[in-house]
Amino acid sequence: QVQLMESGGGSVQRGGSLRLSCATSGNTYKYFCLGWFRQVPGKEREGVAVIHTGAQATDRDIRYADSVKGRFTVSRHNANNTVFLQMDSLKPEDTATYYCAAGRFLCTSPTGLMEFEYSYWGQGTQVTVSS
């Protein structure tokens, strides 16, 4: 099994920043794509970013949703199996519960930001951006 735990959520004002962390443990060999998703009550879960966690991965192995491109940055720290989502220039529409998820597929494929590609999910962390 793979365990994922998000942290770093909170409340900020428009234009502020937050850094989310996703700590992974367990059978980490079972995945090499780590994605960030967000969900607002009553809406479908939206893929935000995906990163390849392999040792040979480069910055070309990262994808972002258009809605966050240029504002969010995903990175990894392989030594402690942690992936980060740096969120800058936050907007009220970024308010959501943020989840990290792990999967085993071609990370940069067009489906990299779709839920069905991911087998393991964290419990989520709330991000609230006020105007």
Side-chain angles (χ1 to χ4, degrees):
Q1 275 292 12
V2 176
Q3 291 81 42
L4 306 167
M5 181 172 292
E6 306 92 341
S7 61
S11 298
V12 296
Q13 291 190 331
R14 178 194 292 270
S17 298
L18 283 173
R19 188 192 197 203
L20 304 184
S21 300
C22 176
T24 67
S25 60
N27 299 324
T28 57
Y29 67 89
K30 289 189 174 183
Y31 73 92
F32 44 75
C33 300
L34 198 298
W36 284 98
F37 289 76
R38 62 187 183 186
Q39 189 170 27
V40 175
K43 293 190 176 182
E44 292 187 357
R45 198 169 292 187
E46 173 192 18
V48 172
V50 57
I51 184 170
H52 192 300
T53 59
Q56 304 300 317
T58 69
D59 288 345
R60 296 178 63 182
D61 298 304
I62 294 174
R63 288 193 67 207
Y64 295 98
D66 288 343
S67 59
V68 305
K69 203 171 291 183
R71 300 188 298 121
F72 289 12
T73 304
V74 63
S75 61
R76 66 186 191 271
H77 191 288
N78 285 351
N80 57 12
N81 294 323
T82 301
V83 174
F84 304 98
L85 183 68
Q86 177 67 40
M87 305 186 296
D88 299 316
S89 301
L90 282 162
K91 306 175 182 180
E93 50 263 45
D94 294 318
T95 295
T97 301
Y98 283 71
Y99 300 88
C100 62
R104 189 179 181 89
F105 60 94
L106 180 61
C107 305
T108 54
S109 72
T111 59
L113 296 177
M114 296 184 182
E115 284 186 75
F116 73 87
E117 291 282 20
Y118 296 84
S119 302
Y120 308 99
W121 291 83
Q123 295 299 307
T125 185
Q126 178 67 35
V127 170
T128 303
V129 185
S130 61
S131 56

